[in-house]
Amino acid sequence: MATRQPSKRLAHLSSAIFTEMAQRKQAVAKEKQVIDLGIGSPDQPPPPHLLAALVEAVQKPTVYGYPGSEGSLAFREEVAKWYQYRFSVELDPATEVHSLMGSQDGLAHLALGWADPDDVVLVPDPGYPIYAASIHLAGAEAYPLPLRAENNFLPDLTAIPEHILQRAKLMILNYPNNPVSAVATLDFFADVVQFARAHDIIVAHDLAYSEMAFDGYRPPSFLQAPGAKEVGIEFNSFSKSFNMAGCRIAYVAGNAEIIKPLAVIKSNIDYGVFEAVQTMAIAALQNDRSGAVVNPTSALYQERRDVFLQALAAVGWQIDPPKATMFIWAKVPQGWTSREFAFELLERTGVVVIPGSAFGQEGEGYVRMALVKEPDVLQEVAKRIGDSGILTER
Ligand SMILES: *Cc1c(COP(=O)(O)O)cnc(C)c1O
């Protein structure tokens, strides 16, 4: 007889550190005002012209049917136009673009469509948690690619052992990166294409932060690299770029044959993104292309980055400014592990940061701080950190 036990695969999901952090935060909140820089959820609403597009769309009686997992043709066509405008990348809206209920949806299900239990999937370490989790859900094996400062947080593809390469089916990359905030050049992507061809590995690039970049920097698409569309796909999302995280809309673009198994999995488990939300997303891309309203996202986070890093430097914590993303990836002071530092910081100051080790072994020695508060709050965080003495006592 079956015992009443949840499935064994749960053991590999969601790092215990996140749960523990949430519990300690609750306890600390009874005594102190907590400032949470933990989760990377945008704190701002979408711009008014996108809210207006959504409001108009929800009033149409025709948008309430099942939308279909692949996304409307109008949506896929607009994504193709935007890729042409933004990256000079050609996409066939019929076969090379597919809508997603957030990138999370695509990332969670990709391995189910592509990996069997004997297969290896290469994932960045530290990495966004769903990458490794999705591979465990598919019963496959995740092989970590260390991202280290001495290598500009790019994986060393030459360091992967031959026996792993022989079993490797898929590789996941993410630039601009969460949690380490590093960026990649088109030259690096070109190397990845050569590597993927040589070893017959599929590349899935997660471009969640394409429109959240600073000082004029424009993150490239993996699909811009010569031959990339033969070996790979790319995920992009409206969550961070347009403050639409709660709307749950994203897409995967690139090689049609690589998208197909993901589409099959999805067509069995969901019915697609609410059509009014697709209309809102179309408005976001159209507006971005036409330049009618400048996307405020980059300027907002750039200001926060500058204010925060200046204030932290003033209390003795020097951190290199990231070129993109909403995250500050900071080395913890000498003498602390990531975990000890994050918990002690919370106890003393009420500030929530995530220990780097929550994102993988290679995250040890760092913490991640999300720029999800207004500049004056970030200044307050720096002041509390300085006053706590934690930076200098070991
Ligand atoms: C936020 C984030 C996502 C999730 O995006 P959704 O489209 O909201 O599911 C995916 N990848 C990375 C790296 C992220 O930081």
Side-chain angles (χ1 to χ4, degrees):
M1 202 170 68
T3 54
R4 196 164 177 177
Q5 290 286 333
S7 73
K8 295 190 182 71
R9 67 180 68 88
L10 291 195
H12 292 289
L13 297 184
S14 87
S15 154
I17 299 181
F18 287 102
T19 317
E20 203 181 339
M21 205 69 203
Q23 283 164 354
R24 295 244 196 145
K25 174 186 156 183
Q26 269 190 341
V28 170
K30 291 187 185 125
E31 299 153 25
K32 284 192 183 66
Q33 183 224 10
V34 163
I35 302 177
D36 193 342
L37 306 185
I39 292 184
S41 180
D43 58 308
Q44 296 292 306
H49 64 284
L50 298 187
L51 289 177
L54 179 64
V55 167
E56 193 188 321
V58 296
Q59 286 171 335
K60 293 200 179 114
T62 52
V63 300
Y64 288 89
Y66 288 119
S69 183
E70 72 279 12
S72 70
L73 186 59
F75 172 75
R76 287 176 282 136
E77 280 173 349
E78 185 53 42
V79 169
K81 283 183 193 159
W82 188 78
Y83 255 67
Q84 180 67 57
Y85 153 79
R86 175 71 173 80
F87 303 116
S88 304
V89 166
E90 201 80 45
L91 293 170
D92 177 357
T95 58
E96 295 180 334
V97 181
H98 196 285
S99 76
L100 299 170
M101 300 164 83
S103 295
Q104 191 83 358
D105 165 25
L107 292 161
H109 294 125
L110 180 66
L112 284 181
W114 272 106
D116 286 314
D118 284 337
D119 294 332
V120 166
V121 183
L122 309 173
V123 292
D125 176 3
Y128 187 60
I130 190 62
Y131 305 152
S134 67
I135 295 152
H136 291 300
L137 286 178
E141 188 182 321
Y143 182 85
L145 303 177
L147 307 185
R148 294 182 180 144
E150 69 257 28
N151 205 20
N152 299 319
F153 296 103
L154 299 171
D156 179 0
L157 301 175
T158 63
I160 306 168
E162 185 56 37
H163 70 279
I164 293 294
L165 289 175
Q166 275 165 13
R167 292 167 56 212
K169 188 97 165 255
L170 179 67
M171 170 163 70
I172 300 173
L173 292 174
N174 165 222
Y175 293 98
N177 184 277
N178 175 11
V180 308
S181 294
V183 300
T185 61
L186 258 184
D187 281 348
F188 170 74
F189 288 150
D191 290 347
V192 169
V193 171
Q194 294 307 319
F195 169 84
R197 270 195 190 138
H199 301 283
D200 200 12
I201 294 172
I202 292 169
V203 178
H205 182 236
D206 182 5
L207 184 57
Y209 295 94
S210 73
E211 307 313 298
M212 198 184 272
F214 316 129
D215 311 319
Y217 171 70
R218 303 281 273 162
S221 159
F222 171 69
L223 299 177
Q224 281 173 276
K229 226 206 288 176
E230 291 157 37
V231 299
I233 55 174
E234 184 160 81
F235 294 92
N236 203 337
S237 170
F238 294 79
S239 295
K240 315 291 164 51
S241 298
F242 301 101
N243 291 325
M244 287 168 56
C247 298
R248 308 315 299 136
I249 184 162
Y251 52 88
V252 58
N255 187 290
E257 295 306 312
I258 300 175
I259 291 174
K260 219 177 263 170
L262 171 59
V264 170
I265 296 282
K266 275 180 55 60
S267 70
N268 277 272
I269 54 185
D270 75 62
Y271 293 110
V273 178
F274 182 29
E275 205 175 304
V277 167
Q278 294 188 52
T279 303
M280 182 188 189
I282 290 170
L285 296 182
Q286 262 173 359
N287 174 80
D288 201 54
R289 260 192 317 125
S290 71
V293 184
V294 174
N295 185 1
T297 313
S298 290
L300 178 90
Y301 286 93
Q302 183 174 319
E303 187 199 356
R304 291 175 176 186
R305 175 199 68 171
D306 291 343
V307 166
F308 192 37
L309 292 192
Q310 230 166 50
L312 287 173
V315 299
W317 202 359
Q318 302 287 344
I319 302 164
D320 288 341
K323 283 201 175 111
T325 82
M326 66 205 304
F327 301 111
I328 302 299
W329 183 246
K331 260 202 155 93
V332 298
Q334 284 270 308
W336 298 87
T337 68
S338 298
R339 202 171 170 285
E340 278 177 342
F341 180 79
F343 285 129
E344 185 65 20
L345 186 70
L346 174 62
E347 295 295 333
R348 290 196 202 177
T349 67
V351 172
V352 179
V353 304
I354 305 289
S357 48
F359 301 98
Q361 197 176 310
E362 295 287 336
E364 182 50 72
Y366 293 88
V367 287
R368 191 193 76 175
M369 300 183 274
L371 297 167
V372 290
K373 302 286 177 201
E374 299 289 4
D376 61 322
V377 180
L378 295 171
Q379 274 167 330
E380 166 69 16
V381 168
K383 183 175 179 306
R384 288 191 196 180
I385 292 175
D387 291 348
S388 75
I390 196 167
L391 295 175
T392 49
E393 70 189 29
R394 285 195 181 176

